Amino acid sequence: MLRKIDKIIFHSFIFLYLFLLILYSCFLPISLVSAETRIKTVVGELTQDPNFDARNYPAMTLSYFNEINSDLDTTNDQPFMEVIQIAETVNDGLCLYIYQPTDSELDLKAKSVSISLGFSTNGIGQKPLLYDLELLSSTGVFDKYLVKDFNIPNDTYRYYNIISIYREFSDQLDTVVSGGTYNQSISISVGQQWCVSYFNDTVKYEMNTFETVSITPTYVGNARMWEGVTWSHLIGVNQCCDSWFVSFNFDEIHVEKIVNAKLSYKRTDVILRNTSLFAIRKEYSPKEVYLTESDKMTFKGAGLFSSSLEWNRIMSSDSFIETVSDQNGDLTDECEEGLKNGQWVFTFLETPYSERTISTANGHKNEATCSKIEYITVLTISYMDTNHQIYNDVGVVMDKISADLNPDIIDDGDLDDNFDKFLEIINIILAILGVIILLRIIAFFVKLFSGLFGSRKKQKKEKLYEKSK
């Protein structure tokens, strides 16, 4: 009986082993085929379009690519990346297929995309948002990206206006704008309107092109405006306000007037010690701001001897320089040169700035609490050309840029060069007043406690006198 049981157990183990071996051998080829499919998915999906021909998208050396595109002015104009197809996913997402001809020598990555939903006539009336891109797969010169946090609209005809894509900065191709202005992402014009609909139970993709407006930033910086003598000086804190601006040129069009504009930026609040980053206090999500020709930047400091400053948020570069100079602003040489190289200036944001001197184990240090503004770009512009024709909400192609944290324009208020001495006198007077107030408070409490103890002693004496009777 035991032998039979042993044989049954033995044969069961043999059967189980053979079953697992067959199962493994069956699934192994499937796994390999699946991996191979993932590797070739970009070309495989593109070839589902009968009009797609991979021979139209050859791989190129960088030297040959530059040779055939030598007539283009800047690296922004050169098609290092080209959107050749889009696709809606089963999970209501959106994918972009991008052709990158110099992939073998210069493997660039797309970082984000500017997309506006809804039908647009000739690229007018755009309302784009910025979306990050995630690389899903690559095959040779073809890349497939997922548009992150994008939801497919529930419309019969879905229109996707792709204004531009942003690639990573390349030391091999790109240079900084000027001075303390830095390129963080390089914009590439797309100008494609895709219409997606269902036809005979199949998804139909149609694409038309439209014109975009390309602008080149020449400078981004901030004007540091003093809040004046405030109560914070009692604890050694000097307060200011930073007003952020960006100057730029139109690349191909002549503009008489800018009516409005929409910008995007990212803000991070930081602490600096001796101008070096010490800590990050808070990081904000990217934000958009809408400017009109009637909007004004208005500043009035909260303390004594601060000045009142005001200028339009949309100005020509020459008017901006003249206005700031007339209102006691001192421009750095780099800032003035960058502004003069531009045609227009947008003043788009104000953030608080404060500084104080602190004691550390390594001695005294200057500590500043301020904001770092990055990834600044213009999304749309409404403008009037020299023929007085107005174009509303046109999609803009502009690099994402940032600036260092040093002020480019400094306003010291209405005090003269003797401010430091005056501030020392004010601090001495405030310190003396503080000491007097403190002494009065101490004298009050001394008198109060003396009265309490005196009354208690008097009560004790009265009790002793009554007992003696």
Side-chain angles (χ1 to χ4, degrees):
M1 185 68 179
L2 292 173
R3 289 183 177 179
K4 288 183 177 180
I5 294 173
D6 290 337
K7 285 183 178 181
I8 292 172
I9 294 173
F10 176 76
H11 287 115
S12 297
F13 274 114
I14 294 295
F15 175 80
L16 181 62
Y17 174 79
L18 292 174
F19 175 78
L20 292 174
L21 184 63
I22 292 170
L23 188 66
Y24 177 78
S25 62
C26 288
F27 275 92
L28 182 60
I30 294 175
S31 177
L32 291 175
V33 171
S34 177
E36 186 70 12
T37 302
R38 287 195 298 271
I39 292 174
K40 295 183 178 180
T41 184
V42 182
V43 175
E45 292 175 8
L46 287 171
T47 52
Q48 292 180 12
D49 181 358
N51 297 319
F52 174 78
D53 188 349
R55 291 173 297 182
N56 294 330
Y57 304 96
M60 302 181 190
T61 63
L62 187 58
S63 58
Y64 177 70
F65 177 85
N66 290 331
E67 180 181 341
I68 63 174
N69 291 286
S70 59
D71 58 323
L72 300 179
D73 294 334
T74 66
T75 56
N76 307 61
D77 299 326
Q78 296 175 351
F80 286 103
M81 289 182 173
E82 181 183 350
V83 177
I84 59 174
Q85 184 59 272
I86 72 168
E88 295 179 340
T89 70
V90 293
N91 297 321
D92 291 332
L94 186 68
C95 289
L96 305 182
Y97 296 88
I98 292 179
Y99 165 54
Q100 189 185 165
T102 60
D103 177 82
S104 59
E105 288 187 39
L106 195 64
D107 186 19
L108 299 171
K109 296 292 188 297
K111 306 298 290 183
S112 58
V113 60
S114 175
I115 300 179
S116 175
L117 297 177
F119 180 76
S120 170
T121 303
N122 298 325
I124 303 298
Q126 303 283 8
K127 297 180 180 178
L129 295 175
L130 292 178
Y131 300 90
D132 290 335
L133 294 175
E134 177 185 352
L135 180 63
L136 297 180
S137 54
S138 298
T139 306
V141 294
F142 302 109
D143 296 332
K144 178 182 178 181
Y145 288 89
L146 173 68
V147 182
K148 299 180 68 175
D149 301 319
F150 186 91
N151 295 317
I152 299 297
N154 189 23
D155 299 326
T156 304
Y157 293 91
R158 298 171 295 283
Y159 293 93
Y160 306 107
N161 302 278
I162 306 176
I163 296 169
S164 64
I165 55 176
Y166 299 85
R167 64 168 174 83
E168 60 188 359
F169 182 88
S170 170
D171 292 331
Q172 189 173 349
L173 298 174
D174 310 311
T175 57
V176 298
V177 178
S178 65
T181 302
Y182 305 95
N183 301 68
Q184 291 177 295
S185 293
I186 305 301
S187 61
I188 299 174
S189 179
V190 178
Q192 297 176 355
Q193 182 182 75
W194 291 85
C195 178
V196 184
S197 60
Y198 288 101
F199 182 76
N200 292 334
D201 296 328
T202 59
V203 182
K204 183 180 179 182
Y205 293 86
E206 295 179 293
M207 189 270 286
N208 293 308
T209 60
F210 60 86
E211 293 296 324
T212 60
V213 171
S214 295
I215 64 177
T216 299
T218 62
Y219 204 84
V220 60
N222 72 80
R224 183 155 297 164
M225 302 170 292
W226 185 50
E227 289 281 2
V229 179
T230 64
W231 290 107
S232 63
H233 284 91
L234 289 173
I235 56 174
V237 177
N238 186 37
Q239 294 180 320
C240 299
C241 174
D242 284 344
S243 182
W244 297 87
F245 60 87
V246 57
S247 65
F248 59 91
N249 285 322
F250 287 95
D251 292 347
E252 299 174 351
I253 60 175
H254 298 285
V255 174
E256 184 77 19
K257 180 176 71 171
I258 296 178
V259 180
N260 58 59
K262 185 167 79 168
L263 293 81
S264 176
Y265 65 89
K266 183 181 179 182
R267 172 182 171 181
T268 305
D269 291 345
V270 298
I271 297 175
L272 307 177
R273 286 192 177 174
N274 288 354
T275 70
S276 298
L277 179 63
F278 175 73
I280 295 176
R281 297 175 61 237
K282 185 175 182 179
E283 192 168 354
Y284 299 83
S285 299
K287 187 175 181 180
E288 287 145 15
V289 58
Y290 185 76
L291 307 179
T292 69
E293 59 179 334
S294 61
D295 291 343
K296 294 183 181 296
M297 190 296 300
T298 303
F299 171 79
K300 172 57 180 169
L304 298 174
F305 307 108
S306 67
S307 57
S308 297
L309 304 175
E310 182 179 281
W311 58 75
N312 291 332
R313 291 195 177 276
I314 298 177
M315 299 182 73
S316 69
S317 295
D318 292 338
S319 297
F320 181 82
I321 294 172
E322 182 180 355
T323 301
V324 171
S325 299
D326 289 345
Q327 297 190 33
N328 207 29
D330 185 16
L331 285 73
T332 64
D333 293 339
E334 285 182 341
C335 175
E336 188 169 1
E337 180 182 357
L339 291 172
K340 287 181 177 179
N341 289 333
Q343 299 166 337
W344 295 89
V345 178
F346 289 157
T347 304
F348 61 93
L349 177 68
E350 282 72 53
T351 57
Y353 175 93
S354 63
E355 62 182 6
R356 60 176 181 166
T357 301
I358 62 171
S359 297
T360 67
N362 298 321
H364 290 83
K365 291 186 177 181
N366 183 67
E367 182 178 271
T369 302
C370 56
S371 296
K372 185 178 182 181
I373 309 301
E374 303 175 287
Y375 299 99
I376 304 162
T377 189
V378 179
L379 299 178
T380 61
I381 279 182
S382 297
Y383 67 93
M384 183 176 70
D385 64 13
T386 52
N387 295 321
H388 291 188
Q389 176 70 39
I390 293 180
Y391 301 85
N392 290 316
D393 299 325
V394 181
V396 172
V397 180
M398 171 183 156
D399 294 347
K400 293 181 181 180
I401 59 175
S402 69
D404 58 32
L405 294 173
N406 298 319
D408 301 280
I409 302 171
I410 300 175
D411 167 66
D412 291 330
D414 296 329
L415 292 179
D416 56 17
D417 295 334
N418 294 320
F419 167 70
D420 290 335
K421 293 181 180 179
F422 175 81
L423 191 57
E424 288 180 7
I425 295 172
I426 291 294
N427 286 332
I428 292 171
I429 294 173
L430 292 175
I432 293 172
L433 290 175
V435 171
I436 292 173
I437 293 171
L438 181 61
L439 292 175
R440 293 295 299 270
I441 292 173
I442 293 173
F444 171 77
F445 280 105
V446 168
K447 186 176 180 180
L448 178 64
F449 284 115
S450 297
L452 289 175
F453 285 119
S455 62
R456 287 182 181 178
K457 288 181 178 180
K458 186 176 181 181
Q459 289 174 1
K460 286 182 179 180
K461 287 181 178 180
E462 289 176 350
K463 288 180 180 180
L464 290 173
Y465 178 73
E466 290 177 357
K467 285 181 180 180
S468 65
K469 287 182 177 181

